[in-house]
Amino acid sequence: MTDNDRGRKMSEFIASNNLFLANIPEYGPSFISPINVGFPDLTLFSTPICNYVKNWGILDMESHSDHKYIYFNIEIEELPEADFYFKSKHGQNKFIGFLKKHITTLKRKLKNFTNIIYQNSFIQDLIELVKQGAFKSFKKKPKRSARRFSFWNESLRQLRNKVSKLFKIYMRNKSNNGNVDIVQKSGCDYRKARAEYKKLLLHTKRKAWEVYCINYNERFGSLFKLVFNKFRSSSIIGVNPNNNPNNNIQDKISFIMDSFFPGQSPGEELTYSPILGPIDPLI
């Protein structure tokens, strides 16, 4: 980067602002044109988050440009979690009122930006102000009472919306007494998408439950109550492999894990290849 004046200035800018350059030169140039190649596409991060940047690379696919696609992951699973969360359903007016008291000062600071130092200072002040408002306005609830097991993600949401859209198209074509071929095709598209959604939903739930069980570290939490039938409500989920009264907790947990997850997850195949047979005419 320091082979010319522009490269030296960029290096000075990165050093003066305490930034981290994620590019890996060994992966090749990110810019290729008929007359030149180079590395003009820089991926910069602030130092506090540079340790969470993983798997930087350049995609070998058509980008319809002289610049190639750049990808990277930001892994934040190791960040410490708070032992509580805010109940934001109540206290919103108090929170907004707290921010309104300081909005004039924030606007004045925002107009006086002269360099990146003032910008970073403003962002830090804003974060601290939001924290103060949250602690003064909202009630805190212990994290142990929050719902920890969750499987919903963006892929499921998009596929669910796709299924809903195709269902509406299918029902509209059917109610309008449209062309039989169009109705059959829209119905087939809907059923195929629904099958894909159900397959992904089951797999995601299974994976989420597996990760939850593997990473579970509470000694007498919900899994302990589930295994030993300690819930207040009536339940017959307690397990006892081979009706052996001497089974310890490791035996019972291993029995549950082997029953729910007999195979290894990395070997699963997610490609959906439905076999479509002849479609019966609609009546």
Side-chain angles (χ1 to χ4, degrees):
M1 187 184 297
T2 58
D3 294 340
N4 51 45
D5 184 62
R6 184 172 60 178
R8 285 189 291 271
K9 289 183 178 179
M10 178 58 70
S11 298
E12 293 174 359
F13 171 80
I14 294 175
S16 62
N17 291 279
N18 200 22
L19 298 176
F20 170 77
L21 179 63
N23 292 60
I24 303 177
E26 289 76 10
Y27 287 0
S30 60
F31 174 83
I32 301 178
S33 71
I35 60 175
N36 198 7
V37 296
F39 304 82
D41 306 293
L42 304 181
T43 307
L44 301 175
F45 297 94
S46 59
T47 304
I49 68 170
C50 65
N51 293 329
Y52 302 107
V53 180
K54 308 292 183 181
N55 301 327
W56 186 95
I58 300 176
L59 290 179
D60 187 16
M61 61 182 297
E62 179 59 46
S63 64
H64 304 287
S65 170
D66 294 333
H67 298 265
K68 292 186 175 181
Y69 290 119
I70 292 177
Y71 70 92
F72 57 87
N73 295 333
I74 298 181
E75 299 179 359
I76 58 175
E77 296 180 356
E78 298 179 358
L79 292 178
E81 294 185 3
D83 57 354
F84 66 91
Y85 70 99
F86 289 112
K87 297 176 64 176
S88 57
K89 185 176 181 180
H90 305 285
Q92 294 182 5
N93 293 333
K94 186 177 180 180
F95 177 71
I96 295 174
F98 176 83
L99 293 182
K100 285 183 177 179
K101 296 178 182 179
H102 301 83
I103 195 68
T104 303
T105 305
L106 291 174
K107 287 182 177 179
R108 186 164 53 249
K109 290 183 178 181
L110 191 61
K111 292 180 179 179
N112 294 331
F113 276 179
T114 56
N115 54 44
I116 193 172
I117 297 178
Y118 287 100
Q119 180 181 354
N120 292 336
S121 176
F122 173 80
I123 294 175
Q124 292 176 0
D125 292 342
L126 179 60
I127 293 175
E128 290 299 324
L129 185 63
V130 172
K131 286 182 180 180
Q132 293 178 15
F135 277 100
K136 289 184 177 181
S137 307
F138 302 130
K139 293 183 178 180
K140 293 189 297 183
K141 191 170 185 179
K143 196 66 173 290
R144 62 177 179 272
S145 300
R147 190 183 70 174
R148 295 189 175 184
F149 174 72
S150 178
F151 63 89
W152 193 255
N153 55 38
E154 183 65 17
S155 298
L156 284 174
R157 187 190 67 82
Q158 293 178 356
L159 194 53
R160 180 202 61 186
N161 293 345
K162 177 183 177 182
V163 172
S164 299
K165 179 180 179 181
L166 292 175
F167 176 73
K168 292 177 181 178
I169 294 174
Y170 169 58
M171 295 303 297
R172 184 169 62 248
N173 292 336
K174 188 176 180 181
S175 61
N176 293 337
N177 296 322
N179 184 276
V180 175
D181 293 336
I182 295 178
V183 174
Q184 289 182 350
K185 183 179 183 304
S186 59
C188 183
D189 293 340
Y190 159 66
R191 288 186 287 271
K192 176 182 176 181
R194 184 181 61 180
E196 292 177 347
Y197 172 66
K198 289 184 176 181
K199 181 181 179 67
L200 180 60
L201 180 63
L202 291 174
H203 169 74
T204 305
K205 283 184 176 181
R206 180 179 180 274
K207 280 294 301 177
W209 178 247
E210 182 179 357
V211 172
Y212 177 73
C213 292
I214 292 175
N215 297 325
Y216 188 83
N217 55 14
E218 292 186 12
R219 186 172 184 180
F220 300 109
S222 57
L223 281 187
F224 175 86
K225 295 178 181 179
L226 177 68
V227 172
F228 290 96
N229 200 19
K230 297 293 184 179
F231 282 112
R232 294 181 181 178
S233 59
S234 59
S235 174
I236 55 173
I237 304 179
V239 298
N240 190 20
N242 300 322
N243 294 322
N244 185 355
N246 298 322
N247 285 322
N248 55 30
I249 186 171
Q250 287 83 4
D251 295 332
K252 295 189 175 185
I253 292 178
S254 298
F255 179 80
I256 291 178
M257 294 298 292
D258 292 338
S259 298
F260 278 97
F261 316 115
Q264 295 184 352
S265 298
E268 293 182 346
E269 178 62 43
L270 294 179
T271 304
Y272 177 70
S273 301
I275 300 176
L276 300 178
I279 301 177
D280 298 330
L282 298 176
I283 298 177

